[in-house]
Amino acid sequence: MLHESHDLSARTANAVALLKESPHTLEGFLKLSEIFESTTLDPHSRETVILTVAARNQCHLCIDMHESKLSQLGPAPDPERLDAVRRFTLRALASSGAVTDAELDALHAAGYTRQNALEVMLGIGTYTISTFANRLTGAA
């Protein structure tokens, strides 16, 4: 496990070094990430949103990093709830945010609020920047 952790740290450091070529992009991502971490979404839900974006955008670095973070959180208190936010994230990505009332109702039925739905959009935007940049630079 130590080797995997060290490898992930080295891969992350490399991605940041590659992104430093555009200080504005790096700063923007870091600020948005900090804001996303402060949302009312619980940590399991935030990591689920990030992993959904990372998997869709095929950013293997982000997948590895956020699978590790999610496992460090321990078992999800309500896996069905996380599946609802995962499905909502996928629909928001597929529809460029134009989810249907039924899709929004399904998210609400899982215990998420309208504020949470908007926070999912913040997570999608933030981690679209990260995953796209990682793929562009070859860090993914």
Side-chain angles (χ1 to χ4, degrees):
M1 185 70 134
L2 181 60
H3 176 70
E4 286 179 26
S5 176
H6 175 71
D7 179 54
L8 187 55
S9 295
R11 289 171 59 205
T12 302
N14 180 57
V16 170
L18 291 167
L19 200 51
K20 280 183 180 177
E21 190 169 337
S22 171
H24 294 96
T25 303
L26 177 59
E27 181 182 6
F29 166 70
L30 292 175
K31 283 182 180 179
L32 286 171
S33 178
E34 181 181 337
I35 293 167
F36 183 61
E37 289 298 314
S38 73
T39 64
T40 62
L41 286 169
D42 65 274
H44 282 91
S45 295
R46 286 194 307 266
E47 290 302 320
T48 298
V49 170
I50 295 167
L51 276 166
T52 303
V53 173
R56 180 194 182 260
N57 294 340
Q58 300 176 15
C59 181
H60 302 292
L61 172 61
C62 290
I63 292 168
D64 293 346
M65 183 183 318
H66 291 282
E67 280 181 345
S68 175
K69 285 180 79 172
L70 190 59
S71 72
Q72 290 172 11
L73 292 174
D78 187 349
E80 292 81 22
R81 187 169 187 264
L82 294 183
D83 191 50
V85 79
R86 181 192 62 77
R87 285 191 318 271
F88 180 78
T89 301
L90 286 171
R91 288 304 310 143
L93 284 162
S95 67
S96 301
V99 297
T100 65
D101 289 343
E103 290 163 340
L104 193 54
D105 289 346
L107 185 70
H108 292 157
Y112 292 99
T113 65
R114 186 161 181 86
Q115 179 179 351
N116 294 148
L118 289 166
E119 293 167 348
V120 168
M121 300 306 141
L122 175 62
I124 289 170
T126 301
Y127 286 90
T128 296
I129 292 168
S130 174
T131 57
F132 280 21
N134 285 341
R135 294 203 59 194
L136 175 73
T137 63

